Amino acid sequence: MSAPETPRLSETFFSGVLPENPVYRSLLGMCPVLAVTNNLAAAVTMAGATAFVLLCSNLMISLIRGWLKPHLRILVFTLTIATFVTIIDKVLAAYLFSMSQRLGPYIPLIIVNCIIVSRCEACASRQPPHVAVIDALGTALGFALALISIAAVRELLGGGTWFGWRVLPESWPGWGVMVLPPGAFLTLGFLLALFHWIGDVRTARRTPGKRGAAT
Amino acid sequence: MSTFLQPLTEARAVVFLALLAGGALTLVEVTLGPRIAENIRRQTFDQIPALVEGSVPEATVALPLDPDVPGRDWVYAALDDGGEVRGWVVSGMEAGYSGPIALLVGTNPAADRITGIFVLQQTETPGLGAKITRSEFRSRFEDLAANRPVEVVKSDPAGNQVLAITGATISSQAVADGVNRSMNRLRAALTGGGLISRLEAALLQSGDDV
């Protein structure tokens, strides 16, 4: 994706949402995807926290991209990301305390979420701020979609609820495995397959040769 | 430019960013720190009726465990609406496997029986040491003697012994150590540290304020 001319902003935004979805296409950020998707409330909070860090980090790195020496850039990325993650961690502890307790170590683990470092490296360190922000927004939306889709399945099948509200009738047995780690892997696997199948169907319907065969 | 100073010059952007980050985090700590402390405090108070039966959370009196070292470890006098002491809840910190564990231990008024424990904060391994927060582990401490040390064993607990979590012996031991230390300090505060008289003074004072 290093074309000589900058892609259109709308393309930059949209690519992070579906075509280059960070979870379903690039298989990044697996840790929160598996760990905090057993209920929708936690998944949405994680999506919001990651979006905040993505946005701020991309903006910051883009603003200082002139200062980045090649051998120090990862250090700078980590410093910036860690600062913003600490900030959002404190904000959550202050205003959403019980959710912060439930998410536990997974908020600080946003620091090592590959999605953020990869956007900083691939986009923010090379593009002007407005492009970096649009890229961050698209990627954040894509990540949120992935988290929410998996959490919706896990919470619904595991307990018949969404955000704690009962959706399925009481007679639904509640597949406990869905809210446990095996259920996370199973759900991710099935949704990943679904995502790629839909992508293949859409590619097949397009003009042949425009995008080439999927690997 | 000497080869010694060159790395420092190259890193000046990093140093500047680090200072900026430090400043931003200090700002966040100063503005949000009190709110977070209040959240933690409220979480503690919410646990007291669960740890001490019959207590009324609004009547709880918080006292420093050691009046010479105020601020960190507290003992909460769990009172009922008649003003009678139904039990004590002691807070303490113990070093766990991967970080500090913040504990609450509830006892009866005589401080010779444990009524329950609660883990406020921990950073143990998820799925292993983190199981110390589950009621399955915490309930093993109920009705143990508070005037003898609690031991952690790997099988067949008897007497004042607690079964460790499989694969998390160190975390389980840390909780037991924290319980023992809190109980020692509570007994010291009750016998020699004038805890009862400090409680009465605090009740008189709040009575005057009303």
Side-chain angles (χ1 to χ4, degrees), chain A residues 95-118:
Chain A
Y95 293 105
L96 285 176
F97 188 67
S98 59
M99 179 55 74
S100 161
Q101 297 282 80
R102 265 162 69 188
L103 288 172
Y106 294 107
I107 294 285
L109 280 175
I110 296 176
I111 299 177
V112 297
N113 189 332
C114 290
I115 298 176
I116 306 180
V117 174
S118 77

Side-chain angles (χ1 to χ4, degrees), chain B residues 28 34 47 71 78 90 93 104 110 123 134 142 156-157 174-175 185 202 206:
Chain B
V28 167
Q47 287 309 314
V90 185
M93 280 271 239
L104 288 178
T123 50
R134 305 244 285 252
E142 281 168 21
D156 303 320
V175 172
R185 296 180 70 192
S206 60

Side-chain angles (χ1 to χ4, degrees), chain A:
Chain A
M1 284 206 81
S2 46
E5 69 285 339
T6 321
R8 286 202 322 266
L9 275 182
S10 57
E11 272 175 25
T12 308
F13 175 79
F14 188 64
S15 85
V17 179
L18 282 182
E20 294 292 320
N21 187 289
V23 174
Y24 287 131
R25 181 65 66 182
S26 313
L27 288 176
L28 296 175
M30 290 286 102
C31 174
V33 158
L34 295 170
V36 305
T37 46
N38 52 7
N39 67 91
L40 272 170
V44 168
T45 311
M46 174 60 72
T50 311
F52 171 79
V53 177
L54 250 178
L55 225 76
C56 296
S57 303
N58 261 28
L59 183 59
M60 186 74 170
I61 295 294
S62 180
L63 288 172
I64 62 170
R65 69 190 187 283
W67 294 350
L68 293 173
K69 300 253 186 292
H71 58 294
L72 291 176
R73 73 188 194 289
I74 303 288
L75 177 69
V76 171
F77 294 160
T78 312
L79 175 62
T80 313
I81 296 170
T83 307
F84 287 118
V85 169
T86 310
I87 292 176
I88 195 67
D89 185 31
K90 297 284 179 187
V91 167
L92 280 177
Y95 293 105
L96 285 176
F97 188 67
S98 59
M99 179 55 74
S100 161
Q101 297 282 80
R102 265 162 69 188
L103 288 172
Y106 294 107
I107 294 285
L109 280 175
I110 296 176
I111 299 177
V112 297
N113 189 332
C114 290
I115 298 176
I116 306 180
V117 174
S118 77
R119 292 333 297 162
C120 284
E121 165 83 343
C123 178
S125 60
R126 297 157 215 257
Q127 304 281 2
H130 62 283
V131 177
V133 165
I134 296 294
D135 178 270
L137 282 174
T139 307
L141 188 59
F143 186 62
L145 277 176
L147 283 178
I148 289 170
S149 56
I150 295 178
V153 171
R154 288 181 72 192
E155 191 179 349
L156 190 68
L157 295 180
T161 60
W162 270 347
F163 291 106
W165 292 88
R166 180 143 283 280
V167 173
L168 292 178
E170 288 280 348
S171 49
W172 177 256
W175 300 349
V177 69
M178 295 309 284
V179 296
L180 294 172
F185 285 96
L186 287 170
T187 312
L188 175 63
F190 278 115
L191 287 181
L192 193 60
L194 185 67
F195 181 87
H196 281 259
W197 180 71
I198 293 179
D200 287 352
V201 166
R202 287 165 60 93
T203 306
R205 287 216 198 102
R206 278 189 228 269
T207 318
K210 182 169 185 196
R211 286 184 68 162
T215 315

Side-chain angles (χ1 to χ4, degrees), chain A residues 71 83 90 93-95 101, chain B residues 10 17 21 29 35 39 43 120:
Chain A
H71 58 294
T83 307
K90 297 284 179 187
Y95 293 105
Q101 297 282 80
Chain B
E10 285 181 352
L17 280 172
E29 182 65 31
R35 228 195 132 99
N39 285 340
Q43 186 196 29
L120 286 170

Side-chain angles (χ1 to χ4, degrees), chain B residues 44-67:
Chain B
T44 303
F45 272 75
D46 287 344
Q47 287 309 314
I48 290 176
L51 292 173
V52 178
E53 271 200 54
S55 61
V56 171
E58 298 81 39
T60 305
V61 177
L63 299 160
L65 193 53
D66 187 346

Side-chain angles (χ1 to χ4, degrees), chain B residues 16-188:
Chain B
F16 174 71
L17 280 172
L19 289 172
L20 206 66
L25 291 175
T26 309
L27 197 68
V28 167
E29 182 65 31
V30 161
T31 45
L32 293 179
R35 228 195 132 99
I36 297 174
E38 176 59 31
N39 285 340
I40 295 173
R41 216 182 63 94
R42 202 154 359 103
Q43 186 196 29
T44 303
F45 272 75
D46 287 344
Q47 287 309 314
I48 290 176
L51 292 173
V52 178
E53 271 200 54
S55 61
V56 171
E58 298 81 39
T60 305
V61 177
L63 299 160
L65 193 53
D66 187 346
D68 301 322
V69 187
R72 231 262 298 269
D73 291 327
W74 295 83
V75 55
Y76 301 90
L79 310 173
D80 61 17
D81 40 24
E84 292 295 315
V85 174
R86 297 298 292 249
W88 307 96
V89 175
V90 185
S91 80
M93 280 271 239
E94 191 69 28
Y97 176 71
S98 32
I101 299 176
L103 269 181
L104 288 178
V105 188
T107 72
N108 58 347
D112 56 21
R113 188 173 58 85
I114 298 174
T115 54
I117 69 166
F118 187 74
V119 177
L120 286 170
Q121 286 180 320
Q122 52 85 23
T123 50
E124 306 298 274
T125 317
L128 286 175
K131 286 189 186 170
I132 55 176
T133 57
R134 305 244 285 252
S135 58
E136 192 192 320
F137 176 72
R138 293 185 290 115
S139 59
R140 296 175 189 168
F141 286 83
E142 281 168 21
D143 290 328
L144 292 185
N147 45 18
R148 294 199 318 268
V150 172
E151 276 177 65
V152 165
V153 293
K154 296 201 193 182
S155 61
D156 303 320
N160 230 32
Q161 294 176 336
V162 158
L163 185 64
I165 297 172
T166 318
T169 320
I170 298 181
S171 303
S172 312
Q173 184 65 54
V175 172
D177 290 342
V179 168
N180 291 334
R181 204 149 60 90
S182 294
M183 292 299 92
N184 286 340
R185 296 180 70 192
L186 177 64
R187 277 201 314 282

